[in-house]
Amino acid sequence: MAVADLTTSPVTSTYTKTSSRLHSSQLSLSSTRLSVHFSRSPRPIPRAQNFKITCSVNQVPAPVAVQTEEAKNKSECFGVFCQTYDLKAEEETKSWKKLINVAVSGAAGMISNHLLFKLASGEVFGPNQPVALKLLGSERSFQALEGVAMELEDSLYPLLREVSIGINPYEVFEDAEWALLIGAKPRGPGMERAGLLDINGQIFAEQGKALNAVASRNVKVIVVGNPCNTNALICLKNAPNIPAKNFHALTRLDENRAKCQLALKAGVFYDKVSNMTIWGNHSTTQVPDFLNARINGSPVKEVIKDHKWLEEEFTEKVQKRGGLLIQKWGRSSAASTAVSIADAMKSLVTPTPEGDWFSTGVYTNGNPYGIAQDIVFSMPCRSKGDGDYELVKDITFDEYLRKRIAKSEAELLAEKRCVAHLTGEGVAFCDLPEDTMLPGEM
Ligand code: LMR
């Protein structure tokens, strides 16, 4: 049976569809043509009078749909994904796992444009895992969001079973098991760093509240929108019913960048670089740890003898890679960010290879490294592949590493003071260090 809740359909123009993607196991009448016509009503109707229209392959096509501004606030299945089918029957024949709900904010943006197709293809969760994508956009990006959903339809991904779009996080995040929070405002000309923290912080406070209210109690949250560590802290503080441990700030892109630079210098392929930790903030204070990283299983400092290069050039190259990329592209990294989000997710859903680890920004409470409590800090983690992680214990520190880590820690503590009004910790006081920046700021 195909169901279309037409009171809330994101409708922009007349739209006709057929049920060509349905498998024979899904519908007994799969050859029956299903036409659904949507069009914008000239007259909005009040919510109280909204009606639900149910259509299926053995029913008459749905009549004209109406959409009010209020209705647009609801998350709504999109196009062919409004068809329903018997997934359980599929599970029996294909041993598919239970559908997984993945919410993505900033879904009409460049990063998502790369990421969504990876998620839909099975690259992240594997070939037996059907996926539902719940896409959050804004009023302004709504048409683009429809465009994204149309491209997902046209891609005919067998694992992609549901796509819904909306602009209200309380609707879109419902039952989300993963929330990839990508949407954020970029820093505009003349905008102070504190201003960016405040504007984006408000978005993440709201999204934290929404997750707290409607998402799965064990939702895994990856914050990508900058400044991602502090945005993740704001988000988790506003979601007290979700374990703080479940919130991540994306530093996997920095890890990947560091591996690439070490491989280049050592003259090896980048798959030979392992145990790469990024410590701290996703900013120019981040610390790519060459003390504990390995190349072909040996300590980096034994392979790369130019220690001055490691301390100065390598570190700065990684810290400022995002900015250099913006200079070249004229915009922030998108494809490599999407790849790193997929990598970060894969690291949580597959067991970490023996002896190795990965970096992710996580809540510091209980960390064994002496890093200040109650911030989100990138640290080395391992996972059993169950979505959870543990911090790696046997890490070596030297004075250089400690000093650098302390700088990033001080920056995050200052960011935290600056958003106290958004974390429920009183009055904000901004004393951000002047020499620290987002990777994209030059
Ligand atoms: C990146 O690391 O590429 C981005 O976070 C840069 C930015 O500031 O947008």
Side-chain angles (χ1 to χ4, degrees):
M1 187 180 71
V3 179
D5 179 349
L6 300 176
T7 57
T8 57
S9 291
V11 182
T12 51
S13 58
T14 301
Y15 199 167
T16 305
K17 296 226 150 296
T18 68
S19 58
S20 57
R21 273 192 75 219
L22 298 176
H23 293 203
S24 55
S25 60
Q26 295 161 345
L27 291 168
S28 51
L29 290 168
S30 58
S31 61
T32 309
R33 197 176 180 81
L34 169 68
S35 281
V36 185
H37 301 273
F38 294 159
S39 70
R40 193 183 277 285
S41 164
R43 254 180 325 115
I45 57 167
R47 192 185 181 95
Q49 291 169 26
N50 281 5
F51 50 90
K52 228 178 207 202
I53 296 171
T54 303
C55 58
S56 81
V57 285
N58 35 17
Q59 284 181 338
V60 181
V64 172
V66 258
Q67 189 188 31
T68 62
E69 277 312 303
E70 202 179 347
K72 215 169 155 190
N73 264 324
K74 286 206 87 182
S75 166
E76 182 59 24
C77 66
F78 187 89
V80 76
F81 301 106
C82 297
Q83 316 274 27
T84 58
Y85 43 81
D86 187 358
L87 186 58
K88 207 155 174 290
E90 291 243 332
E91 279 179 69
E92 276 158 23
T93 53
K94 291 190 172 177
S95 3
W96 273 9
K97 297 179 190 163
K98 190 176 153 282
L99 188 73
I100 194 163
N101 290 318
V102 184
V104 181
S105 80
M110 294 284 288
I111 297 172
S112 298
N113 208 262
H114 294 275
L115 178 65
L116 295 173
F117 294 82
K118 288 179 169 295
L119 295 170
S121 71
E123 185 188 318
V124 173
F125 295 111
N128 300 328
Q129 178 61 71
V131 176
L133 290 176
K134 300 157 91 61
L135 310 183
L136 181 68
S138 62
E139 182 78 41
R140 196 172 48 85
S141 70
F142 196 75
Q143 286 219 10
L145 197 57
E146 288 181 301
V148 171
M150 285 166 67
E151 285 210 89
L152 285 166
E153 281 188 303
D154 296 344
S155 299
L156 307 183
Y157 285 117
L159 289 167
L160 184 58
R161 311 314 288 195
E162 289 178 23
V163 173
S164 55
I165 62 177
I167 61 171
N168 179 352
Y170 285 84
E171 296 282 345
V172 176
F173 292 167
E174 199 163 341
D175 298 327
E177 291 157 285
W178 287 83
L180 312 174
L181 306 185
I182 299 171
K185 261 204 183 339
R187 180 165 156 170
M191 189 191 285
E192 293 290 327
R193 180 92 185 274
L196 184 72
L197 272 164
D198 184 49
I199 289 176
N200 281 335
Q202 290 186 37
I203 296 172
F204 287 89
E206 186 60 18
Q207 293 186 356
K209 288 188 180 104
L211 287 167
N212 198 52
V214 300
S216 152
R217 297 302 77 186
N218 198 26
V219 60
K220 305 290 186 287
V221 184
I222 300 184
V223 177
V224 179
N226 278 323
C228 62
N229 294 54
T230 296
N231 288 340
L233 181 73
I234 293 168
C235 200
L236 75 85
K237 291 282 181 183
N238 283 278
N241 297 334
I242 296 167
K245 203 185 175 198
N246 290 16
F247 290 78
H248 299 254
L250 185 80
T251 54
R252 186 49 170 270
L253 178 57
D254 306 303
E255 176 186 328
N256 291 354
R257 287 168 171 169
K259 281 180 168 169
C260 180
Q261 293 307 314
L262 289 178
L264 251 169
K265 183 74 174 173
V268 299
F269 197 57
Y270 36 69
D271 65 346
K272 302 292 180 289
V273 185
S274 64
N275 305 80
M276 186 74 241
T277 310
I278 299 293
W279 296 95
N281 200 1
H282 175 67
S283 77
T284 54
T285 65
Q286 68 177 269
V287 190
D289 176 356
F290 52 82
L291 185 65
N292 290 284
R294 295 183 165 256
I295 296 175
N296 272 323
S298 301
V300 165
K301 283 176 106 174
E302 282 175 21
V303 180
I304 298 173
K305 304 278 190 222
D306 185 352
H307 295 177
K308 192 166 161 13
W309 178 87
L310 286 170
E311 288 186 6
E312 291 168 14
E313 277 183 62
F314 163 68
T315 299
E316 193 173 323
K317 262 180 203 280
V318 179
Q319 290 170 333
K320 297 192 173 166
R321 181 79 165 177
L324 185 61
L325 216 120
I326 290 173
Q327 272 186 355
K328 304 274 180 199
W329 257 121
R331 58 152 177 79
S332 222
S333 55
S336 57
T337 303
V339 169
S340 72
I341 298 169
D343 287 345
M345 296 173 79
K346 279 188 269 183
S347 287
L348 291 169
V349 298
T350 47
T352 310
E354 192 57 41
D356 202 358
W357 60 71
F358 57 89
S359 301
T360 177
V362 286
Y363 195 49
T364 49
N365 279 19
N367 79 83
Y369 317 116
I371 292 161
Q373 306 287 297
D374 206 30
I375 50 178
V376 171
F377 205 84
S378 183
M379 299 183 281
C381 296
R382 290 181 52 79
S383 176
K384 293 188 177 77
D386 55 0
D388 205 358
Y389 62 88
E390 58 197 34
L391 295 172
V392 177
K393 292 202 176 62
D394 44 349
I395 296 289
T396 306
F397 293 91
D398 63 7
E399 210 192 315
Y400 172 92
L401 189 56
R402 281 272 177 224
K403 216 168 129 201
R404 293 283 179 140
I405 286 176
K407 185 171 180 186
S408 208
E409 182 187 36
E411 181 185 43
L412 279 167
L413 287 168
E415 287 189 15
K416 184 183 161 188
R417 287 191 289 278
C418 201
V419 298
H421 59 306
L422 297 170
T423 55
E425 278 155 30
V427 182
F429 169 69
C430 277
D431 60 343
L432 297 169
E434 271 173 26
D435 62 336
T436 61
M437 293 181 284
L438 290 171
E441 294 173 78
M442 296 297 272

